[in-house]
Amino acid sequence: MKSEFPPTSPALSLQNKLDQIAHDRDVLALLRDLAREGLCEGDSVRRADDGTPGRLTIDRQESPPRVVVATDIGSRLPFDRTHWRRD
């Protein structure tokens, strides 16, 4: 007889769940900080000194997450409001 329930996935520990919640809160805080500056993830920006173009993104793989600029050549540079301007 075939089971009606899908196979169970491994349960996350309470600590893993708490860590994920903290990580998600950090991401939301970064999004809020960008919004306060009139920016949002995906906005086009340009480096003030040399004109390098890129897009704002949040590096969610880092711990803690951080705002970076993904350039057209594939590099990921730290975002700093003093060095980057909205395009």
Side-chain angles (χ1 to χ4, degrees), residues 19-20 22-24 26-28 30 41 57-68 76:
D19 291 345
Q20 184 61 46
H23 182 79
D24 292 345
D26 290 343
V27 169
L28 289 172
L30 291 172
E41 190 172 16
T57 188
I58 295 177
D59 192 346
R60 289 168 168 80
Q61 304 307 315
E62 289 289 322
S63 186
R66 62 191 179 112
V67 179
V68 296
R76 299 172 73 76

Side-chain angles (χ1 to χ4, degrees), residues 28-41:
L28 289 172
L30 291 172
L31 290 169
R32 183 181 58 236
D33 292 344
L34 284 175
R36 284 185 182 140
E37 296 181 30
L39 299 166
C40 65
E41 190 172 16

Side-chain angles (χ1 to χ4, degrees), residues 40-45 53-58 68-72 84:
C40 65
E41 190 172 16
D43 280 353
S44 294
V45 292
R55 291 207 176 272
L56 282 176
T57 188
I58 295 177
V68 296
V69 177
T71 65
D72 294 342
W84 294 93

Side-chain angles (χ1 to χ4, degrees), residues 2 18 27 48 54 57 61 64-65 74 77-78 86:
K2 191 174 182 181
L18 292 172
V27 169
T57 188
Q61 304 307 315
L77 305 171
R86 181 183 232 159

